[in-house]
Amino acid sequence: MVSPATQPATPTDQASKIVRRELRDFLRSHDQRRRQLPRSILVGLIVGLVAVAFRLSLLEAERFRYFLVALAREHPWWAPALPVLLGTCGAAIAVYLVRRVAPEASGSGIPQVKAVLHDTRRMRRRVLPVKFFGGIAGIGGGLVLGREGPTIHMGAAIGQMVSGWVSCTPRERRTLIAAGAGAGLAAAFNAPLAGLVFVLEEVQRDFSPAVFTATLVASAVADVTTRLLLGQLPVFHVTTNAIPSLVALPVALVVGA
């Protein structure tokens, strides 16, 4: 006789095990999303506030730089050196902060965030202040740089910072980092859906419900925070040019050739 312990599993037993496993995975995923919701809201709120402060600081630095340029036009004998000096000092400050304080803050920010999510590079808390003040010094000094990459990098650093405040698994930590990066893009461009797609297709490449929900919530909160503090104005102001007449088509053909 065959003992019950050695009897082969029937199809009913196998189906029961599959159902129990799927139910357990569903409950675990549901519990994870429930825990991540307030964390994602907090990440989006902080990212939005930091993005607003970063943008306003760059606007003030830009006004000061334009003031120096106007001063150089009024006093061509000595004032033209002031914008050059501003750019040199800004670049020197940014380089010093990156090399001495946080070397992992170098670069545009997007490749660095992807490396952190793939556990090939670390990101300390000091990345956030170094990226913030180094970006103001470099971009405000007149370097040909954008604020989108630094905002994404700072958003990822904020996500990691929030993950350190609570008890979470390594997977949840990576989810918050990715959500912070998406919130940074959303705050920089006022485009929450772009932040979501950016994380799903470029940064995390994970279409799981936890990543989707956390990134969407963080991006939406960051976008709302930015719009509440800066208004509903577009990020980029594009001037409308007059449409040339059909008579200009031969000229366009010659220029294009």
Side-chain angles (χ1 to χ4, degrees), residues 171-209:
R171 181 180 178 84
E172 291 174 343
R173 180 184 64 85
R174 290 192 296 269
T175 300
L176 289 178
I177 293 175
L185 181 67
F189 290 109
N190 288 347
L193 293 182
L196 174 63
V197 175
F198 169 72
V199 169
L200 296 180
E201 293 189 352
E202 180 66 22
V203 177
Q204 185 76 344
R205 295 184 179 180
D206 185 359
F207 289 82
S208 64

PDB file of all heavy atoms in Angstrom, residues 171-209:
ATOM      1  N   ARG A 171      13.357  46.105  -2.765  1.00  0.00           N
ATOM      2  CA  ARG A 171      12.503  46.351  -3.923  1.00  0.00           C
ATOM      3  C   ARG A 171      11.675  47.621  -3.727  1.00  0.00           C
ATOM      4  O   ARG A 171      11.514  48.422  -4.657  1.00  0.00           O
ATOM      5  CB  ARG A 171      11.586  45.153  -4.160  1.00  0.00           C
ATOM      6  CG  ARG A 171      10.671  45.313  -5.372  1.00  0.00           C
ATOM      7  CD  ARG A 171       9.793  44.090  -5.561  1.00  0.00           C
ATOM      8  NE  ARG A 171       8.896  44.245  -6.685  1.00  0.00           N
ATOM      9  CZ  ARG A 171       9.218  43.993  -7.940  1.00  0.00           C
ATOM     10  NH1 ARG A 171      10.432  43.561  -8.231  1.00  0.00           N
ATOM     11  NH2 ARG A 171       8.341  44.154  -8.910  1.00  0.00           N
ATOM     12  N   GLU A 172      11.148  47.815  -2.523  1.00  0.00           N
ATOM     13  CA  GLU A 172      10.386  49.031  -2.247  1.00  0.00           C
ATOM     14  C   GLU A 172      11.283  50.264  -2.299  1.00  0.00           C
ATOM     15  O   GLU A 172      10.850  51.336  -2.733  1.00  0.00           O
ATOM     16  CB  GLU A 172       9.717  48.912  -0.880  1.00  0.00           C
ATOM     17  CG  GLU A 172       8.610  47.877  -0.826  1.00  0.00           C
ATOM     18  CD  GLU A 172       8.066  47.675   0.572  1.00  0.00           C
ATOM     19  OE1 GLU A 172       8.748  48.092   1.543  1.00  0.00           O
ATOM     20  OE2 GLU A 172       6.967  47.105   0.710  1.00  0.00           O
ATOM     21  N   ARG A 173      12.528  50.114  -1.867  1.00  0.00           N
ATOM     22  CA  ARG A 173      13.464  51.237  -1.946  1.00  0.00           C
ATOM     23  C   ARG A 173      13.718  51.623  -3.400  1.00  0.00           C
ATOM     24  O   ARG A 173      13.706  52.806  -3.751  1.00  0.00           O
ATOM     25  CB  ARG A 173      14.782  50.860  -1.258  1.00  0.00           C
ATOM     26  CG  ARG A 173      15.830  51.970  -1.280  1.00  0.00           C
ATOM     27  CD  ARG A 173      17.137  51.486  -0.673  1.00  0.00           C
ATOM     28  NE  ARG A 173      17.716  50.410  -1.458  1.00  0.00           N
ATOM     29  CZ  ARG A 173      18.493  50.612  -2.523  1.00  0.00           C
ATOM     30  NH1 ARG A 173      18.780  51.845  -2.920  1.00  0.00           N
ATOM     31  NH2 ARG A 173      18.993  49.594  -3.189  1.00  0.00           N
ATOM     32  N   ARG A 174      13.931  50.631  -4.260  1.00  0.00           N
ATOM     33  CA  ARG A 174      14.140  50.935  -5.682  1.00  0.00           C
ATOM     34  C   ARG A 174      12.892  51.554  -6.300  1.00  0.00           C
ATOM     35  O   ARG A 174      12.988  52.432  -7.171  1.00  0.00           O
ATOM     36  CB  ARG A 174      14.536  49.659  -6.428  1.00  0.00           C
ATOM     37  CG  ARG A 174      15.921  49.151  -6.093  1.00  0.00           C
ATOM     38  CD  ARG A 174      16.353  48.072  -7.068  1.00  0.00           C
ATOM     39  NE  ARG A 174      15.498  46.895  -6.981  1.00  0.00           N
ATOM     40  CZ  ARG A 174      15.750  45.862  -6.186  1.00  0.00           C
ATOM     41  NH1 ARG A 174      16.832  45.862  -5.419  1.00  0.00           N
ATOM     42  NH2 ARG A 174      14.936  44.821  -6.170  1.00  0.00           N
ATOM     43  N   THR A 175      11.728  51.108  -5.853  1.00  0.00           N
ATOM     44  CA  THR A 175      10.487  51.688  -6.369  1.00  0.00           C
ATOM     45  C   THR A 175      10.372  53.159  -5.999  1.00  0.00           C
ATOM     46  O   THR A 175       9.978  53.994  -6.827  1.00  0.00           O
ATOM     47  CB  THR A 175       9.280  50.908  -5.824  1.00  0.00           C
ATOM     48  OG1 THR A 175       9.364  49.542  -6.243  1.00  0.00           O
ATOM     49  CG2 THR A 175       7.979  51.501  -6.330  1.00  0.00           C
ATOM     50  N   LEU A 176      10.727  53.511  -4.770  1.00  0.00           N
ATOM     51  CA  LEU A 176      10.663  54.912  -4.353  1.00  0.00           C
ATOM     52  C   LEU A 176      11.700  55.759  -5.082  1.00  0.00           C
ATOM     53  O   LEU A 176      11.445  56.921  -5.414  1.00  0.00           O
ATOM     54  CB  LEU A 176      10.860  55.016  -2.838  1.00  0.00           C
ATOM     55  CG  LEU A 176       9.706  54.513  -1.972  1.00  0.00           C
ATOM     56  CD1 LEU A 176      10.059  54.627  -0.498  1.00  0.00           C
ATOM     57  CD2 LEU A 176       8.430  55.289  -2.272  1.00  0.00           C
ATOM     58  N   ILE A 177      12.869  55.195  -5.344  1.00  0.00           N
ATOM     59  CA  ILE A 177      13.882  55.931  -6.108  1.00  0.00           C
ATOM     60  C   ILE A 177      13.377  56.209  -7.522  1.00  0.00           C
ATOM     61  O   ILE A 177      13.506  57.327  -8.045  1.00  0.00           O
ATOM     62  CB  ILE A 177      15.201  55.140  -6.138  1.00  0.00           C
ATOM     63  CG1 ILE A 177      15.812  55.067  -4.735  1.00  0.00           C
ATOM     64  CG2 ILE A 177      16.192  55.780  -7.104  1.00  0.00           C
ATOM     65  CD1 ILE A 177      17.055  54.197  -4.654  1.00  0.00           C
ATOM     66  N   ALA A 178      12.796  55.191  -8.150  1.00  0.00           N
ATOM     67  CA  ALA A 178      12.252  55.382  -9.494  1.00  0.00           C
ATOM     68  C   ALA A 178      11.092  56.369  -9.484  1.00  0.00           C
ATOM     69  O   ALA A 178      10.970  57.215 -10.382  1.00  0.00           O
ATOM     70  CB  ALA A 178      11.801  54.035 -10.062  1.00  0.00           C
ATOM     71  N   ALA A 179      10.233  56.282  -8.466  1.00  0.00           N
ATOM     72  CA  ALA A 179       9.116  57.223  -8.364  1.00  0.00           C
ATOM     73  C   ALA A 179       9.620  58.648  -8.179  1.00  0.00           C
ATOM     74  O   ALA A 179       9.056  59.596  -8.744  1.00  0.00           O
ATOM     75  CB  ALA A 179       8.202  56.827  -7.209  1.00  0.00           C
ATOM     76  N   GLY A 180      10.684  58.821  -7.402  1.00  0.00           N
ATOM     77  CA  GLY A 180      11.262  60.152  -7.237  1.00  0.00           C
ATOM     78  C   GLY A 180      11.833  60.696  -8.528  1.00  0.00           C
ATOM     79  O   GLY A 180      11.706  61.893  -8.825  1.00  0.00           O
ATOM     80  N   ALA A 181      12.467  59.829  -9.318  1.00  0.00           N
ATOM     81  CA  ALA A 181      12.990  60.269 -10.613  1.00  0.00           C
ATOM     82  C   ALA A 181      11.857  60.706 -11.537  1.00  0.00           C
ATOM     83  O   ALA A 181      11.950  61.735 -12.221  1.00  0.00           O
ATOM     84  CB  ALA A 181      13.802  59.148 -11.252  1.00  0.00           C
ATOM     85  N   GLY A 182      10.779  59.925 -11.573  1.00  0.00           N
ATOM     86  CA  GLY A 182       9.632  60.318 -12.390  1.00  0.00           C
ATOM     87  C   GLY A 182       8.993  61.605 -11.909  1.00  0.00           C
ATOM     88  O   GLY A 182       8.577  62.448 -12.717  1.00  0.00           O
ATOM     89  N   ALA A 183       8.928  61.784 -10.591  1.00  0.00           N
ATOM     90  CA  ALA A 183       8.385  63.028 -10.044  1.00  0.00           C
ATOM     91  C   ALA A 183       9.270  64.215 -10.400  1.00  0.00           C
ATOM     92  O   ALA A 183       8.774  65.318 -10.644  1.00  0.00           O
ATOM     93  CB  ALA A 183       8.241  62.904  -8.527  1.00  0.00           C
ATOM     94  N   GLY A 184      10.591  63.999 -10.443  1.00  0.00           N
ATOM     95  CA  GLY A 184      11.487  65.076 -10.851  1.00  0.00           C
ATOM     96  C   GLY A 184      11.251  65.511 -12.280  1.00  0.00           C
ATOM     97  O   GLY A 184      11.233  66.711 -12.589  1.00  0.00           O
ATOM     98  N   LEU A 185      11.056  64.543 -13.172  1.00  0.00           N
ATOM     99  CA  LEU A 185      10.758  64.888 -14.561  1.00  0.00           C
ATOM    100  C   LEU A 185       9.409  65.587 -14.672  1.00  0.00           C
ATOM    101  O   LEU A 185       9.258  66.561 -15.427  1.00  0.00           O
ATOM    102  CB  LEU A 185      10.776  63.629 -15.420  1.00  0.00           C
ATOM    103  CG  LEU A 185      10.493  63.833 -16.909  1.00  0.00           C
ATOM    104  CD1 LEU A 185      11.616  64.623 -17.558  1.00  0.00           C
ATOM    105  CD2 LEU A 185      10.324  62.497 -17.619  1.00  0.00           C
ATOM    106  N   ALA A 186       8.422  65.096 -13.922  1.00  0.00           N
ATOM    107  CA  ALA A 186       7.099  65.717 -13.955  1.00  0.00           C
ATOM    108  C   ALA A 186       7.147  67.150 -13.453  1.00  0.00           C
ATOM    109  O   ALA A 186       6.494  68.041 -14.012  1.00  0.00           O
ATOM    110  CB  ALA A 186       6.123  64.896 -13.112  1.00  0.00           C
ATOM    111  N   ALA A 187       7.926  67.404 -12.403  1.00  0.00           N
ATOM    112  CA  ALA A 187       8.032  68.760 -11.868  1.00  0.00           C
ATOM    113  C   ALA A 187       8.821  69.673 -12.796  1.00  0.00           C
ATOM    114  O   ALA A 187       8.554  70.877 -12.866  1.00  0.00           O
ATOM    115  CB  ALA A 187       8.688  68.718 -10.486  1.00  0.00           C
ATOM    116  N   ALA A 188       9.788  69.121 -13.513  1.00  0.00           N
ATOM    117  CA  ALA A 188      10.602  69.946 -14.409  1.00  0.00           C
ATOM    118  C   ALA A 188       9.829  70.374 -15.647  1.00  0.00           C
ATOM    119  O   ALA A 188      10.000  71.495 -16.139  1.00  0.00           O
ATOM    120  CB  ALA A 188      11.864  69.187 -14.812  1.00  0.00           C
ATOM    121  N   PHE A 189       8.966  69.503 -16.172  1.00  0.00           N
ATOM    122  CA  PHE A 189       8.251  69.783 -17.417  1.00  0.00           C
ATOM    123  C   PHE A 189       6.757  70.010 -17.224  1.00  0.00           C
ATOM    124  O   PHE A 189       6.048  70.211 -18.215  1.00  0.00           O
ATOM    125  CB  PHE A 189       8.442  68.627 -18.404  1.00  0.00           C
ATOM    126  CG  PHE A 189       9.830  68.524 -18.961  1.00  0.00           C
ATOM    127  CD1 PHE A 189      10.661  67.493 -18.580  1.00  0.00           C
ATOM    128  CD2 PHE A 189      10.310  69.452 -19.858  1.00  0.00           C
ATOM    129  CE1 PHE A 189      11.944  67.379 -19.089  1.00  0.00           C
ATOM    130  CE2 PHE A 189      11.589  69.356 -20.378  1.00  0.00           C
ATOM    131  CZ  PHE A 189      12.407  68.318 -19.993  1.00  0.00           C
ATOM    132  N   ASN A 190       6.261  69.925 -15.978  1.00  0.00           N
ATOM    133  CA  ASN A 190       4.814  69.976 -15.739  1.00  0.00           C
ATOM    134  C   ASN A 190       4.100  68.893 -16.542  1.00  0.00           C
ATOM    135  O   ASN A 190       3.066  69.130 -17.171  1.00  0.00           O
ATOM    136  CB  ASN A 190       4.242  71.354 -16.100  1.00  0.00           C
ATOM    137  CG  ASN A 190       4.647  72.419 -15.103  1.00  0.00           C
ATOM    138  OD1 ASN A 190       5.145  72.113 -14.020  1.00  0.00           O
ATOM    139  ND2 ASN A 190       4.449  73.671 -15.454  1.00  0.00           N
ATOM    140  N   ALA A 191       4.656  67.694 -16.515  1.00  0.00           N
ATOM    141  CA  ALA A 191       4.126  66.593 -17.326  1.00  0.00           C
ATOM    142  C   ALA A 191       4.159  65.308 -16.511  1.00  0.00           C
ATOM    143  O   ALA A 191       5.137  64.555 -16.578  1.00  0.00           O
ATOM    144  CB  ALA A 191       4.929  66.441 -18.610  1.00  0.00           C
ATOM    145  N   PRO A 192       3.113  65.038 -15.720  1.00  0.00           N
ATOM    146  CA  PRO A 192       3.134  63.827 -14.879  1.00  0.00           C
ATOM    147  C   PRO A 192       3.117  62.532 -15.677  1.00  0.00           C
ATOM    148  O   PRO A 192       3.764  61.558 -15.288  1.00  0.00           O
ATOM    149  CB  PRO A 192       1.872  63.981 -14.025  1.00  0.00           C
ATOM    150  CG  PRO A 192       0.993  64.924 -14.782  1.00  0.00           C
ATOM    151  CD  PRO A 192       1.908  65.853 -15.502  1.00  0.00           C
ATOM    152  N   LEU A 193       2.388  62.492 -16.786  1.00  0.00           N
ATOM    153  CA  LEU A 193       2.363  61.266 -17.583  1.00  0.00           C
ATOM    154  C   LEU A 193       3.724  60.997 -18.219  1.00  0.00           C
ATOM    155  O   LEU A 193       4.124  59.839 -18.375  1.00  0.00           O
ATOM    156  CB  LEU A 193       1.282  61.361 -18.664  1.00  0.00           C
ATOM    157  CG  LEU A 193      -0.163  61.402 -18.148  1.00  0.00           C
ATOM    158  CD1 LEU A 193      -1.137  61.455 -19.310  1.00  0.00           C
ATOM    159  CD2 LEU A 193      -0.454  60.200 -17.263  1.00  0.00           C
ATOM    160  N   ALA A 194       4.434  62.056 -18.580  1.00  0.00           N
ATOM    161  CA  ALA A 194       5.782  61.872 -19.115  1.00  0.00           C
ATOM    162  C   ALA A 194       6.706  61.287 -18.054  1.00  0.00           C
ATOM    163  O   ALA A 194       7.565  60.452 -18.357  1.00  0.00           O
ATOM    164  CB  ALA A 194       6.334  63.202 -19.618  1.00  0.00           C
ATOM    165  N   GLY A 195       6.539  61.710 -16.796  1.00  0.00           N
ATOM    166  CA  GLY A 195       7.330  61.125 -15.719  1.00  0.00           C
ATOM    167  C   GLY A 195       7.040  59.652 -15.536  1.00  0.00           C
ATOM    168  O   GLY A 195       7.951  58.847 -15.304  1.00  0.00           O
ATOM    169  N   LEU A 196       5.772  59.273 -15.664  1.00  0.00           N
ATOM    170  CA  LEU A 196       5.403  57.862 -15.540  1.00  0.00           C
ATOM    171  C   LEU A 196       6.000  57.034 -16.672  1.00  0.00           C
ATOM    172  O   LEU A 196       6.613  55.983 -16.436  1.00  0.00           O
ATOM    173  CB  LEU A 196       3.878  57.737 -15.530  1.00  0.00           C
ATOM    174  CG  LEU A 196       3.311  56.320 -15.561  1.00  0.00           C
ATOM    175  CD1 LEU A 196       3.716  55.548 -14.319  1.00  0.00           C
ATOM    176  CD2 LEU A 196       1.791  56.359 -15.699  1.00  0.00           C
ATOM    177  N   VAL A 197       5.832  57.494 -17.903  1.00  0.00           N
ATOM    178  CA  VAL A 197       6.357  56.752 -19.053  1.00  0.00           C
ATOM    179  C   VAL A 197       7.880  56.696 -19.005  1.00  0.00           C
ATOM    180  O   VAL A 197       8.494  55.679 -19.360  1.00  0.00           O
ATOM    181  CB  VAL A 197       5.865  57.402 -20.362  1.00  0.00           C
ATOM    182  CG1 VAL A 197       6.496  56.729 -21.569  1.00  0.00           C
ATOM    183  CG2 VAL A 197       4.348  57.320 -20.451  1.00  0.00           C
ATOM    184  N   PHE A 198       8.501  57.771 -18.549  1.00  0.00           N
ATOM    185  CA  PHE A 198       9.959  57.810 -18.446  1.00  0.00           C
ATOM    186  C   PHE A 198      10.472  56.718 -17.512  1.00  0.00           C
ATOM    187  O   PHE A 198      11.457  56.036 -17.812  1.00  0.00           O
ATOM    188  CB  PHE A 198      10.383  59.193 -17.948  1.00  0.00           C
ATOM    189  CG  PHE A 198      11.825  59.295 -17.556  1.00  0.00           C
ATOM    190  CD1 PHE A 198      12.825  59.299 -18.512  1.00  0.00           C
ATOM    191  CD2 PHE A 198      12.186  59.397 -16.219  1.00  0.00           C
ATOM    192  CE1 PHE A 198      14.159  59.393 -18.147  1.00  0.00           C
ATOM    193  CE2 PHE A 198      13.511  59.495 -15.844  1.00  0.00           C
ATOM    194  CZ  PHE A 198      14.502  59.491 -16.811  1.00  0.00           C
ATOM    195  N   VAL A 199       9.809  56.525 -16.396  1.00  0.00           N
ATOM    196  CA  VAL A 199      10.242  55.502 -15.441  1.00  0.00           C
ATOM    197  C   VAL A 199       9.975  54.103 -15.990  1.00  0.00           C
ATOM    198  O   VAL A 199      10.832  53.209 -15.918  1.00  0.00           O
ATOM    199  CB  VAL A 199       9.532  55.700 -14.091  1.00  0.00           C
ATOM    200  CG1 VAL A 199       9.756  54.500 -13.176  1.00  0.00           C
ATOM    201  CG2 VAL A 199      10.039  56.960 -13.417  1.00  0.00           C
ATOM    202  N   LEU A 200       8.801  53.891 -16.553  1.00  0.00           N
ATOM    203  CA  LEU A 200       8.432  52.552 -17.005  1.00  0.00           C
ATOM    204  C   LEU A 200       9.266  52.093 -18.194  1.00  0.00           C
ATOM    205  O   LEU A 200       9.623  50.912 -18.290  1.00  0.00           O
ATOM    206  CB  LEU A 200       6.946  52.519 -17.375  1.00  0.00           C
ATOM    207  CG  LEU A 200       5.952  52.761 -16.232  1.00  0.00           C
ATOM    208  CD1 LEU A 200       4.528  52.695 -16.758  1.00  0.00           C
ATOM    209  CD2 LEU A 200       6.150  51.763 -15.106  1.00  0.00           C
ATOM    210  N   GLU A 201       9.599  53.005 -19.098  1.00  0.00           N
ATOM    211  CA  GLU A 201      10.282  52.599 -20.323  1.00  0.00           C
ATOM    212  C   GLU A 201      11.783  52.838 -20.299  1.00  0.00           C
ATOM    213  O   GLU A 201      12.519  52.141 -21.002  1.00  0.00           O
ATOM    214  CB  GLU A 201       9.679  53.343 -21.523  1.00  0.00           C
ATOM    215  CG  GLU A 201       8.248  52.953 -21.838  1.00  0.00           C
ATOM    216  CD  GLU A 201       7.768  53.544 -23.148  1.00  0.00           C
ATOM    217  OE1 GLU A 201       8.505  54.372 -23.719  1.00  0.00           O
ATOM    218  OE2 GLU A 201       6.671  53.183 -23.598  1.00  0.00           O
ATOM    219  N   GLU A 202      12.252  53.806 -19.521  1.00  0.00           N
ATOM    220  CA  GLU A 202      13.658  54.181 -19.593  1.00  0.00           C
ATOM    221  C   GLU A 202      14.431  53.837 -18.329  1.00  0.00           C
ATOM    222  O   GLU A 202      15.524  53.276 -18.403  1.00  0.00           O
ATOM    223  CB  GLU A 202      13.769  55.689 -19.862  1.00  0.00           C
ATOM    224  CG  GLU A 202      15.198  56.205 -19.955  1.00  0.00           C
ATOM    225  CD  GLU A 202      15.944  55.649 -21.148  1.00  0.00           C
ATOM    226  OE1 GLU A 202      15.281  55.217 -22.112  1.00  0.00           O
ATOM    227  OE2 GLU A 202      17.187  55.632 -21.119  1.00  0.00           O
ATOM    228  N   VAL A 203      13.892  54.158 -17.175  1.00  0.00           N
ATOM    229  CA  VAL A 203      14.657  54.033 -15.934  1.00  0.00           C
ATOM    230  C   VAL A 203      14.498  52.651 -15.315  1.00  0.00           C
ATOM    231  O   VAL A 203      15.451  51.882 -15.197  1.00  0.00           O
ATOM    232  CB  VAL A 203      14.233  55.130 -14.936  1.00  0.00           C
ATOM    233  CG1 VAL A 203      14.975  54.957 -13.618  1.00  0.00           C
ATOM    234  CG2 VAL A 203      14.527  56.503 -15.512  1.00  0.00           C
ATOM    235  N   GLN A 204      13.283  52.319 -14.919  1.00  0.00           N
ATOM    236  CA  GLN A 204      13.050  51.076 -14.191  1.00  0.00           C
ATOM    237  C   GLN A 204      12.775  49.901 -15.119  1.00  0.00           C
ATOM    238  O   GLN A 204      13.181  48.779 -14.843  1.00  0.00           O
ATOM    239  CB  GLN A 204      11.869  51.261 -13.224  1.00  0.00           C
ATOM    240  CG  GLN A 204      11.602  50.082 -12.316  1.00  0.00           C
ATOM    241  CD  GLN A 204      12.584  49.961 -11.181  1.00  0.00           C
ATOM    242  OE1 GLN A 204      13.635  50.579 -11.213  1.00  0.00           O
ATOM    243  NE2 GLN A 204      12.254  49.169 -10.187  1.00  0.00           N
ATOM    244  N   ARG A 205      12.049  50.148 -16.195  1.00  0.00           N
ATOM    245  CA  ARG A 205      11.645  49.090 -17.135  1.00  0.00           C
ATOM    246  C   ARG A 205      10.922  47.958 -16.407  1.00  0.00           C
ATOM    247  O   ARG A 205      11.172  46.778 -16.655  1.00  0.00           O
ATOM    248  CB  ARG A 205      12.852  48.562 -17.901  1.00  0.00           C
ATOM    249  CG  ARG A 205      13.496  49.606 -18.806  1.00  0.00           C
ATOM    250  CD  ARG A 205      14.625  49.036 -19.633  1.00  0.00           C
ATOM    251  NE  ARG A 205      15.207  50.050 -20.495  1.00  0.00           N
ATOM    252  CZ  ARG A 205      16.209  49.832 -21.333  1.00  0.00           C
ATOM    253  NH1 ARG A 205      16.731  48.618 -21.425  1.00  0.00           N
ATOM    254  NH2 ARG A 205      16.686  50.807 -22.078  1.00  0.00           N
ATOM    255  N   ASP A 206      10.049  48.358 -15.507  1.00  0.00           N
ATOM    256  CA  ASP A 206       9.272  47.406 -14.720  1.00  0.00           C
ATOM    257  C   ASP A 206       7.823  47.874 -14.735  1.00  0.00           C
ATOM    258  O   ASP A 206       7.507  48.952 -14.233  1.00  0.00           O
ATOM    259  CB  ASP A 206       9.806  47.348 -13.285  1.00  0.00           C
ATOM    260  CG  ASP A 206       9.102  46.289 -12.452  1.00  0.00           C
ATOM    261  OD1 ASP A 206       8.197  45.618 -12.985  1.00  0.00           O
ATOM    262  OD2 ASP A 206       9.451  46.138 -11.266  1.00  0.00           O
ATOM    263  N   PHE A 207       6.953  47.076 -15.332  1.00  0.00           N
ATOM    264  CA  PHE A 207       5.553  47.449 -15.472  1.00  0.00           C
ATOM    265  C   PHE A 207       4.690  46.831 -14.376  1.00  0.00           C
ATOM    266  O   PHE A 207       3.495  46.617 -14.570  1.00  0.00           O
ATOM    267  CB  PHE A 207       5.028  47.026 -16.847  1.00  0.00           C
ATOM    268  CG  PHE A 207       5.592  47.839 -17.980  1.00  0.00           C
ATOM    269  CD1 PHE A 207       6.833  47.553 -18.505  1.00  0.00           C
ATOM    270  CD2 PHE A 207       4.886  48.905 -18.500  1.00  0.00           C
ATOM    271  CE1 PHE A 207       7.362  48.299 -19.547  1.00  0.00           C
ATOM    272  CE2 PHE A 207       5.401  49.662 -19.544  1.00  0.00           C
ATOM    273  CZ  PHE A 207       6.642  49.357 -20.068  1.00  0.00           C
ATOM    274  N   SER A 208       5.284  46.550 -13.233  1.00  0.00           N
ATOM    275  CA  SER A 208       4.517  45.973 -12.135  1.00  0.00           C
ATOM    276  C   SER A 208       3.556  47.014 -11.568  1.00  0.00           C
ATOM    277  O   SER A 208       3.808  48.224 -11.653  1.00  0.00           O
ATOM    278  CB  SER A 208       5.460  45.480 -11.039  1.00  0.00           C
ATOM    279  OG  SER A 208       6.166  46.559 -10.462  1.00  0.00           O
ATOM    280  N   PRO A 209       2.449  46.572 -10.974  1.00  0.00           N
ATOM    281  CA  PRO A 209       1.485  47.534 -10.407  1.00  0.00           C
ATOM    282  C   PRO A 209       2.089  48.424  -9.328  1.00  0.00           C
ATOM    283  O   PRO A 209       1.702  49.592  -9.202  1.00  0.00           O
ATOM    284  CB  PRO A 209       0.388  46.625  -9.836  1.00  0.00           C
ATOM    285  CG  PRO A 209       0.494  45.355 -10.608  1.00  0.00           C
ATOM    286  CD  PRO A 209       1.954  45.186 -10.911  1.00  0.00           C
TER     287      PRO A 209
END
